[in-house]
C-alpha cells in the first residue's frame, strides 16, 4: 500500500492536477454561489462530489487497471509476492485516498451550510458510493484491458456519465425519456444516495437507489472476481 | 529420483495472432536442481517462463508446482516462485533499498530481522553504494541486480531467472554464479544465451528451438550428442615414427615444418591416435580443440532451425 503510494511520486503533478486542483476549482465555483439559498449550495456541492469521483477517481483508476495488463507492469509486479487481487485492491485503495481530500472539504462545507445535514447518512452514502465507483472502475478496466483503448474510452465515458446525471441540473425538469436514461445511469443513483444526507432526496427514491446500487454491486463483484483470476499480459495491442 | 518442484506436461502456447511459441513442451525441475533453457532468439524461452508465472495463459497442457496445478489457483506461484524478468525493469520512483525492503516486508519480516536481511541482500549483490538511488537512474545491469535481489529476498523455493546476467559485467556475473551455486533448498530454472554460464551452473539443460525441446541432458551429455570433428596440432619428439602411423590410419593431415595438423572425425579417434603417438615416441607440443558444448549447441540449433 505505502509502496504503491511511494511509487506514484513520479505522477505527482498529474495526480495533483486531476485529483486536487481541478476538482478544487469546481468546488470554488460552487462555493461562489453560496447565498441565502443554502439548499442550492447543498445541491451543487453534492453534484460536485459525485462529478469529481467520476471524473478523476473513476477515470484514473480504470486507466491504471488497464495499465497493469501491459507486459512491463505485470512483470514488475510479479517479482513481488503479491497476488493479482492484492495488486488491484492496493491500486483502488491508493486512488481512493488521493480522491478523499476535496471530498472531505466539500463535506465540511456542507456540514456548516446545510441545515438538514445528517452526518451518519452522509458518511454511509459516501463510503458506499466510493466503493461502488471503485468496483465499476476495476471491472471496466478489466473488461477493456488495452491501455491504449482505455485512453480513448474512459475520459469520454466519465464525461458522458456526469452529463447524464442530475449533478448540476434538476432531473424533474427533463422530459420523461431523458429521465429514464438518467435513471439507468448508476451515477444518478450515487447522487441520490448522497443527497439523502442533505435532505434533498425523497426517502422512496433513496430506497430505490439503494436497491439498484446493491444489485449492481453484487453483480459487479461476481464479474470482477471472475476477471481477476483471468488477468494476463495483453497479447494483442491492436 | 528427487522430488519434482515443477512439472510441465505437453505445454503448448499459441498467441492470439495464431503464432505457436511453445509446442508440446515437457520439462521438469527437481529439488535443489539448476536447469538451463538454451535456444536462439524467439525460441520461446520467455513465453515458457511467463506461463509458469501465470502471466500468460497456456493454450494446452499442464503446469504443476509442488504437485499443484497452477491453472485454477495461482496462490502457489505467489508463495513459491521468485522471478527475474528478462527486461531490465525498475520501479522508477522508488530507491533500491526501499524496493528490496518492501520485498522482505512481504515475506513477513520486520524490525531487526528485516534490517539484517536487508543489509545482507544489499551486500550479497554488491548494491550497497546504490541503496539510495531511485530506480529510474539505474543502469541496465544494476536493474537486473536489483531484480535478482528482490527474487532472492523471497523465501520462494523456486527461482525463474530469464537471462539474469544478460547485462551484467563479468565480475558481477561470476559473483552471481557463485551465489547461485551456494543457494540451498532452492531450485532454479535459468534461461540464458551465455553458454559459459549454463555449462558452469546447470545440472541439466534443455535446448529449445522453434518452441520445441530438441535436446536435453547435462552439458557433458550434450557435448557428446553429435559427432563433431576434432583438430589436433602436434610436434613429435622425433618425426620418424609419426609417418607410418599417420599413413596407416588413412587420415587427413598436413605438415608445416615440424608441426603436424591432423583432422579427425570425432573425439574418440583423436584420443586413440594420441595414445598411439605417445607410445611410439612421444610428443613435444599438443594443441587440441575438442568438440565443445558451444559448438554442439550451435550445430543442433542450426540443423533444427532448417
Ligand atoms: N504477444 C505476442 N503475440 C504473438 N507472438 C508473440 C508474442 N509475444 C512473443 N511472440 C513470439 O513468440 C516467440 C517466442 O518469443 P519469446 O519471447 O518466448 O522468445 P525467447 O526464446 O525468450 O527469445 P529471446 O532469447 O530473444 O529472449 C517469438 O517468435 C515472438 O515473436
Ligand atoms: Mg526471452
Amino acid at each position: 500500500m505505502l509502496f504503491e503510494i511511494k511509487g506514484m511520486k513520479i505522477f505527482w503533478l498529474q495526480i495533483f492536477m486531476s485529483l486536487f486542483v481541478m476538482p478544487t476549482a469546481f468546488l470554488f465555483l460552487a462555493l461562489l454561489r453560496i447565498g441565502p439559498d443554502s439548499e442550492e449550495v447543498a445541491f451543487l456541492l453534492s453534484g460536485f462530489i459525485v462529478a469529481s469521483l467520476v471524473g478523476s477517481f473513476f477515470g484514473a483508476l480504470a486507466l491504471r487497471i488497464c495499465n497493469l495488463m501491459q507486459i512491463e507492469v505485470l512483470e514488475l509486479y510479479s517479482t513481488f509476492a503479491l497476488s493479482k487481487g492484492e495488486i488491484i485492491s492496493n491500486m483502488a485503495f491508493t486512488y481512493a485516498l488521493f480522491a478523499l481530500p476535496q471530498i472531505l472539504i466539500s463535506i465540511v462545507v456542507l456540514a456548516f451550510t446545510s441545515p438538514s445535514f445528517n452526518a451518519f447518512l452522509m458518511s454511509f452514502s459516501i463510503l458506499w458510493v466510493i466503493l461502488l465507483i471503485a468496483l465499476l472502475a476495476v471491472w471496466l478496466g478489466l473488461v477493456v484491458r488495452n491501455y491504449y483503448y482505455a485512453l480513448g474510452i474512459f475520459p469520454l465515458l466519465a464525461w458522458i456519465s456526469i452529463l447524464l446525471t442530475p449533478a448540476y441540473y434538476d432531473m424533474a425538469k427533463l422530459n420523461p425519456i431523458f429521465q429514464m436514461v438518467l435513471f439507468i445511469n448508476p451515477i444518478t443513483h450515487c447522487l441520490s444516495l448522497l443527497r439523502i444526507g442533505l435532505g434533498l432526496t425523497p426517502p422512496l427514491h433513496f430506497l430505490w437507489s439503494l436497491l439498484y446500487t446493491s444489485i449492481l454491486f453484487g453483480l459487479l463483484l461476481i464479474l470482477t472476481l471472475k476477471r481477476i483470476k483471468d488477468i494476463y499480459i495483453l497479447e494483442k495491442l491492436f | 529420483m528427487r522430488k519434482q518442484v515443477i512439472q510441465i506436461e505437453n505445454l503448448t502456447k499459441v498467441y492470439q495472432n495464431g503464432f505457436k511459441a511453445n509446442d508440446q513442451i515437457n520439462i521438469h525441475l527437481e529439488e535443489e536442481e539448476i536447469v538451463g533453457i538454451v535456444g536462439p532468439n524467439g525460441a520461446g524461452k520467455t513465453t515458457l517462463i511467463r506461463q509458469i508465472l501465470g502471466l500468460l495463459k497456456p493454450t494446452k497442457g499442464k503446469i504443476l508446482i509442488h504437485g499443484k496445478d497452477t491453472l485454477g489457483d495461482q496462490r502457489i506461484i505467489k508463495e513459491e516462485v521468485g522471478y527475474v524478468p528478462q527486461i531490465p525493469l525498475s520501479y522508477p520512483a522508488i530507491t533500491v533499498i526501499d524496493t528490496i525492503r518492501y520485498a522482505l516486508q512481504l515475506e513477513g519480516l520486520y524490525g531487526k530481522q528485516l534490517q539484517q536481511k536487508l543489509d545482507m541482500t544489499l551486500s550479497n549483490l554488491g548494491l550497497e553504494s546504490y541503496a539510495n538511488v531511485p530506480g529510474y537512474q539505474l543502469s541496465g545491469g544494476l536493474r537486473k541486480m536489483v531484480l535478482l535481489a528482490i527474487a532472492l529476498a523471497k523465501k520462494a523455493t523456486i527461482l525463474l531467472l530469464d537471462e539474469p546476467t544478460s547485462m551484467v559485467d563479468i565480475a558481477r556475473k561470476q559473483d552471481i554464479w557463485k551465489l547461485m551455486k551456494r543457494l540451498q533448498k532452492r531450485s532454479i530454472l535459468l534461461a540464458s544465451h551465455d553458454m559459459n554460464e549454463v555449462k558452469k551452473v546447470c545440472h541439466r539443460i534443455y535446448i529449445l528451438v522453434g518452441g520445441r525441446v530438441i535436446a536435453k541432458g547435462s552439458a557433458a551429455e550434450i557435448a557428446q550428442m553429435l559427432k563433431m570433428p576434432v583438430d589436433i596440432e602436434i610436434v613429435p619428439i622425433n618425426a620418424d615414427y609419426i609417418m607410418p602411423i599417420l599413413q596407416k590410419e588413412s587420415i587427413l593431415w598436413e605438415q608445416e615444418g615440424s608441426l603436424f595438423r591432423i583432422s579427425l572425425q570425432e573425439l574418440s579417434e583423436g584420443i586413440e591416435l594420441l595414445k598411439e603417438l605417445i607410445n611410439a615416441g612421444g610428443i613435444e607440443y599438443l594443441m587440441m580443440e575438442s568438440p565443445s558444448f558451444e559448438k554442439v549447441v550451435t550445430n543442433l540449433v542450426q540443423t533444427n532451425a532448417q
Side-chain angles (χ1 to χ4, degrees):
Chain A
M1 236 302 294
L2 188 68
F3 189 74
E4 177 86 9
I5 294 175
K6 272 191 183 171
M8 310 248 294
K9 259 190 294 202
I10 38 172
F11 300 116
W12 70 270
L13 187 61
Q14 190 195 342
I15 292 166
F16 185 66
M17 289 302 280
S18 74
L19 294 179
F20 201 77
V21 174
M22 285 278 290
T24 311
F26 277 125
L27 181 62
F28 182 69
L29 278 181
L31 290 178
L32 276 182
R33 315 231 359 203
I34 288 190
D37 186 359
S38 61
E39 205 163 68
E40 196 186 354
V41 174
F43 186 83
L44 285 177
L45 273 185
S46 54
F48 158 77
I49 291 176
V50 167
S52 92
L53 274 176
V54 173
S56 27
F57 172 58
F58 167 84
L61 180 58
L63 271 177
R64 183 76 173 111
I65 300 293
C66 289
N67 176 236
L68 178 63
M69 251 60 80
Q70 292 184 295
I71 293 184
E72 303 81 23
V73 184
L74 197 53
E75 286 224 307
L76 190 55
Y77 273 106
S78 68
T79 60
F80 286 116
L82 289 169
S83 71
K84 288 162 182 172
E86 284 165 339
I87 298 171
I88 299 256
S89 34
N90 275 352
M91 285 177 174
F93 200 79
T94 308
Y95 278 81
L97 265 188
F98 277 107
L100 273 184
Q102 358 124 30
I103 292 174
L104 290 181
I105 295 173
S106 323
I107 291 178
V108 170
V109 174
L110 282 172
F112 284 107
T113 56
S114 169
S116 36
F117 182 82
N118 180 324
F120 171 74
L121 277 177
M122 197 67 199
S123 6
F124 164 78
S125 303
I126 200 88
L127 284 178
W128 180 235
V129 166
I130 289 178
L131 214 59
L132 184 71
I133 291 181
L135 191 59
L136 209 59
V138 169
W139 178 69
L140 277 171
L142 292 176
V143 169
V144 172
R145 303 188 52 195
N146 187 325
Y147 184 71
Y148 301 97
Y149 294 171
L151 282 174
I153 294 172
F154 290 123
L156 209 69
L157 194 67
W159 189 73
I160 291 174
S161 51
I162 295 172
L163 198 69
L164 295 179
T165 305
Y168 301 124
Y169 55 82
D170 190 359
M171 195 169 162
K173 288 179 189 152
L174 295 175
N175 78 36
I177 298 177
F178 269 116
Q179 284 192 11
M180 272 295 292
V181 175
L182 259 61
F183 217 69
I184 295 169
N185 182 5
I187 307 305
T188 306
H189 295 278
C190 290
L191 194 60
S192 129
L193 289 179
L194 275 188
R195 284 181 176 161
I196 184 84
L198 302 168
L200 297 174
T201 308
L204 187 64
H205 279 191
F206 173 73
L207 287 179
W208 267 117
S209 294
L210 199 57
L211 186 69
Y212 184 96
T213 50
S214 301
I215 293 173
L216 187 68
F217 188 87
L219 210 70
L220 285 177
L221 194 62
I222 295 170
L223 292 173
T224 305
L225 288 178
K226 246 191 201 160
R227 291 232 165 221
I228 284 182
K229 279 194 177 163
D230 233 26
I231 294 179
Y232 293 104
I233 289 172
L234 193 68
E235 288 178 23
K236 234 178 151 175
L237 280 189
F238 53 86
Chain B
M1 201 165 77
R2 278 181 297 183
K3 232 173 78 186
Q4 298 196 349
V5 292
I6 297 185
Q7 292 156 273
I8 294 178
E9 294 165 14
N10 294 318
L11 187 71
T12 297
K13 174 66 191 174
V14 181
Y15 279 109
Q16 267 173 29
N17 67 353
F19 184 83
K20 196 185 264 184
N22 282 173
D23 190 0
Q24 301 270 345
I25 289 183
N26 285 292
I27 71 175
H28 70 270
L29 176 66
E30 290 170 17
E31 235 171 8
E32 297 196 20
E33 192 183 30
I34 305 180
V35 167
I37 300 181
V38 170
N41 293 130
K45 304 179 291 296
T46 301
T47 304
L48 172 69
I49 289 177
R50 285 186 179 150
Q51 287 175 94
I52 304 175
L53 279 159
L55 302 179
L56 280 173
K57 192 175 191 169
T59 310
K60 253 191 244 150
K62 244 189 201 171
I63 300 171
L64 306 179
I65 293 181
H66 290 297
K68 283 193 192 136
D69 197 332
T70 58
L71 249 182
D73 183 357
Q74 298 195 340
R75 261 175 309 179
I76 186 103
I77 300 175
K78 170 190 144 180
E79 283 156 18
E80 296 294 346
V81 184
Y83 175 42
V84 173
Q86 178 177 356
I87 325 169
L89 300 165
S90 69
Y91 282 91
I94 298 172
T95 60
V96 169
I97 195 164
D98 279 351
T99 309
I100 301 172
R101 183 182 294 117
Y102 182 60
L104 291 167
Q105 282 167 343
L106 284 174
E107 296 301 314
L109 292 180
Y110 59 92
K112 226 182 193 160
Q113 226 186 345
L114 173 69
Q115 195 55 44
Q116 263 175 8
K117 191 82 197 287
L118 189 58
D119 293 341
M120 200 181 80
T121 311
L122 281 172
S123 85
N124 268 347
L125 293 158
L127 289 170
E128 299 106 317
S129 52
Y130 298 96
N132 293 310
V133 177
Y136 81 98
Q137 290 175 1
L138 292 171
S139 72
L142 288 169
R143 285 177 197 200
K144 295 227 92 158
M145 295 304 285
V146 175
L147 289 170
L148 194 60
I150 299 174
L152 292 174
K154 280 179 112 176
K155 286 182 204 127
T157 54
I158 300 168
L159 296 176
L160 302 182
L161 312 180
D162 198 350
E163 303 188 22
T165 62
S166 64
M167 297 183 169
V168 172
D169 69 54
I170 183 69
R172 284 181 187 271
K173 253 187 199 191
Q174 280 165 356
D175 291 343
I176 293 177
W177 295 337
K178 274 185 218 145
L179 198 67
M180 273 164 78
K181 286 184 157 176
R182 253 199 350 245
L183 291 176
Q184 275 164 2
K185 305 235 156 56
R186 306 237 209 187
S187 318
I188 302 177
L189 193 63
L190 167 77
S192 178
H193 289 297
D194 185 336
M195 293 304 136
N196 202 7
E197 167 173 293
V198 170
K199 212 162 53 182
K200 272 208 171 83
V201 303
C202 293
H203 303 117
R204 280 188 308 121
I205 297 149
Y206 291 93
I207 300 179
L208 204 63
V209 178
R212 281 209 302 249
V213 176
I214 58 150
K216 58 183 180 186
S218 67
E221 282 164 0
I222 287 174
Q224 291 162 26
M225 227 166 243
L226 291 182
K227 283 190 179 170
M228 297 285 280
V230 184
D231 295 320
I232 304 175
E233 290 182 5
I234 51 170
V235 175
I237 290 176
N238 177 343
D240 296 341
Y241 67 83
I242 192 170
M243 284 305 174
I245 296 174
L246 289 183
Q247 265 142 17
K248 180 186 75 192
E249 300 271 339
S250 69
I251 38 181
L252 254 66
W253 60 276
E254 55 183 41
Q255 190 178 359
E256 208 182 289
S258 59
L259 182 81
F260 288 80
R261 283 206 186 85
I262 307 164
S263 294
L264 294 155
Q265 288 301 313
E266 58 175 312
L267 186 60
S268 57
E269 282 177 29
I271 294 171
E272 281 311 308
L273 180 73
L274 283 177
K275 268 191 208 155
E276 213 171 329
L277 289 175
I278 289 165
N279 288 338
I283 41 181
E284 260 180 346
Y285 168 83
L286 167 70
M287 221 213 40
M288 178 168 156
E289 220 182 315
S290 60
S292 64
F293 173 67
E294 286 95 319
K295 275 190 183 167
V296 173
V297 170
T298 315
N299 221 298
L300 279 171
V301 166
Q302 274 167 356
T303 45
N304 274 278
Q306 282 152 15

